[in-house]
Amino acid sequence: MGEQQVRERFAELYGAEPEGVWAAPGRVNLIGEHTDYNDGFVMPFALPHRATAAVSRRTDGILRLHSADVEGGIVELSLDALAPQSDQNWTAYPAGVAWALREAGHPVTGADVHLASTVPTGAGLSSSAALEVVIALALGDLYGLGLQRWQLARLCQRAENVYVGAPTGIMDQTASACCESGHALFLDTRDLSQQQIPFDLAAEGLRLLVVDTQVKHAHSGGEYGKRRAGCEKGAALLGVDALRDIAYPDLDAALARLGDEEEVVRLVRHVVTEDQRVERVVELLRAGETRSIGPVLTEGHLSLRDDFRISCPELDLVVDTALATGALGARMTGGGFGGSAIVLAEATDVDTLTKAVEEAFAAAGFTAPRVFEAVPAAGARRVN
């Protein structure tokens, strides 16, 4: 849904024009999975798919929310009554942002909101972060809060961690808020320093496909939290603040110190090797060796499948089929247990690869996947 439609629908719902329209994108993570809550490195880029919000201020402490993507009418909430983990619906994401802004001392006195999103939900492409960031940017602008983009991302993460109750890291919100068109974002999640790395695949005759397996995941579910707790246990056993502090050359010695903690060994090995993979991809892209990142992406998938154990048969089938059909590299992306995989390929191989994956899914009796090209897009911004 375009911004004009969102603006018009807002006027129908609330009887007045909105004060503005904002948009925030979903994201694909190129490399760096489950490293963000370990103070490590990540490398996402924004998608053209985005959440769009028409918003106006209110002065009476009321937050009114409506979504074009959810059945039902306007949901009316009192800002003073907002309480963490009291809402199990989609409204928890925008309400959580309003709550986090007020908790941080910002004078938000209410809003009317109409939302529409083209980010696929449950596909591991950060539909929730897009919702949070678009609301944070809109309220920040309307109330003149003067927040930097990284500050918006932090507030949105707090909304998701505390208000929604999902223990996610900082990557998704930062990607939605800070990415630039034609670039991947090299983010150090410890100090939030950012570098925009040119990532123009089309210019090199390459494509990055996203294959949405249609297998839905829910982050608030226990498996994500279990992996996070296991990583924290590993850091504690090794006497470091976070797994980021284990240098790659010291990995074998660190794993030996963990003894028979088999699960923790696997989690630690993934995080430390994945941080090193992010650094390798950055070096290759800077050197103009984009095709060479393919094998590094595939290594990442094997680590997520075998050490972190968050893949699923559908994701493995995408990766195996793509590699067998000539892809340069492939891996699952996102939190795991479903969602999407990415495939790096020559532009001339896209049709063949797409057909091979679709046929493999049909032969396995899986739901048909959704395949689309990922083009690095701009981060959140006011659009109207």
Side-chain angles (χ1 to χ4, degrees):
M1 183 178 280
E3 56 243 32
Q4 190 54 38
Q5 287 168 287
V6 173
R7 173 178 276 280
E8 288 168 3
R9 184 69 176 122
F10 180 99
E12 287 172 19
L13 288 161
Y14 297 113
E17 287 288 312
E19 291 186 76
V21 181
W22 290 261
R27 64 97 189 99
V28 162
N29 193 24
L30 182 63
I31 191 76
E33 220 64 79
H34 289 269
T35 49
D36 62 346
Y37 53 80
N38 290 294
D39 279 6
F41 303 122
V42 294
M43 201 170 183
F45 62 89
L47 288 168
H49 307 71
R50 59 193 196 168
T52 305
V55 186
S56 287
R57 286 169 291 184
R58 297 178 66 92
T59 57
D60 57 1
I62 296 295
L63 179 64
R64 294 199 292 179
L65 302 168
H66 185 270
S67 170
D69 311 305
V70 181
E71 290 287 320
I74 295 168
V75 178
E76 188 169 304
L77 303 168
S78 162
L79 290 177
D80 288 342
L82 297 180
Q85 299 185 47
S86 60
D87 186 349
Q88 301 302 308
N89 301 304
W90 70 270
T91 48
Y93 296 101
V97 170
W99 172 85
L101 285 166
R102 284 163 56 88
E103 283 282 296
H106 297 296
V108 174
T109 55
D112 287 338
V113 178
H114 172 60
L115 283 154
S117 180
T118 58
V119 186
T121 57
L125 304 175
S126 286
S127 55
S128 58
L131 269 190
E132 292 157 0
V133 170
V134 76
I135 296 298
L137 185 61
L139 294 177
D141 283 358
L142 288 173
Y143 283 98
L145 303 181
L147 295 165
Q148 301 290 321
R149 291 303 181 94
W150 67 267
Q151 292 173 305
L152 286 179
R154 271 267 189 251
L155 284 161
C156 290
Q157 184 199 16
R158 179 165 164 75
E160 187 145 348
N161 289 173
V162 180
Y163 194 88
V164 178
T168 51
I170 190 69
M171 173 180 67
D172 297 348
Q173 293 84 0
T174 306
S176 187
C178 300
C179 278
E180 291 181 8
S181 178
H183 292 74
L185 179 71
F186 177 36
L187 173 68
D188 181 335
T189 65
R190 170 163 281 170
D191 63 12
L192 297 189
S193 60
Q194 304 175 16
Q195 297 173 48
Q196 301 285 347
I197 309 295
F199 191 52
D200 183 357
L201 295 169
E204 301 192 50
L206 296 171
R207 298 289 185 272
L208 191 77
L209 299 178
V210 175
V211 182
D212 176 3
T213 64
Q214 307 284 346
V215 178
K216 302 299 183 195
H217 68 192
H219 261 179
S220 328
E223 291 298 326
Y224 183 101
K226 272 191 220 165
R227 301 303 187 282
R228 183 164 185 163
C231 290
E232 288 166 358
K233 180 179 178 182
L237 289 170
L238 292 167
V240 292
D241 289 339
L243 295 183
R244 151 72 173 278
D245 296 311
I246 306 298
Y248 180 73
D250 302 332
L251 176 60
D252 288 344
L255 296 180
R257 284 169 54 206
L258 292 170
D260 59 1
E261 291 274 1
E262 189 259 339
E263 183 183 9
V264 176
V265 164
R266 285 191 287 100
L267 297 178
V268 171
R269 183 165 53 219
H270 166 73
V271 172
V272 176
T273 58
E274 186 79 348
D275 271 333
Q276 195 247 1
R277 281 186 283 274
V278 178
E279 294 185 291
R280 281 161 63 198
V281 167
V282 170
E283 285 172 18
L284 289 167
L285 290 178
R286 284 195 172 129
E289 297 177 29
T290 307
R291 282 172 175 79
S292 300
I293 73 172
V296 188
L297 302 183
T298 304
E299 275 178 43
H301 182 76
L302 301 181
S303 182
L304 290 161
R305 183 190 72 188
D306 300 338
D307 275 346
F308 228 67
R309 299 190 181 175
I310 58 170
S311 190
C312 66
E314 291 86 351
L315 288 167
D316 292 339
L317 184 60
V318 174
V319 172
D320 294 345
T321 304
L323 294 173
T325 317
L328 298 169
R331 73 173 193 90
M332 60 152 284
T333 186
F337 312 106
S340 299
I342 55 174
V343 178
L344 181 69
E346 302 288 350
T348 49
D349 292 339
V350 164
D351 291 345
T352 310
L353 282 163
T354 301
K355 188 163 181 274
V357 169
E358 289 171 347
E359 288 176 351
F361 268 55
F366 295 152
T367 300
R370 177 172 176 244
V371 185
F372 59 92
E373 186 184 336
V375 181
R381 62 199 188 282
R382 185 169 184 159
V383 293
N384 192 305

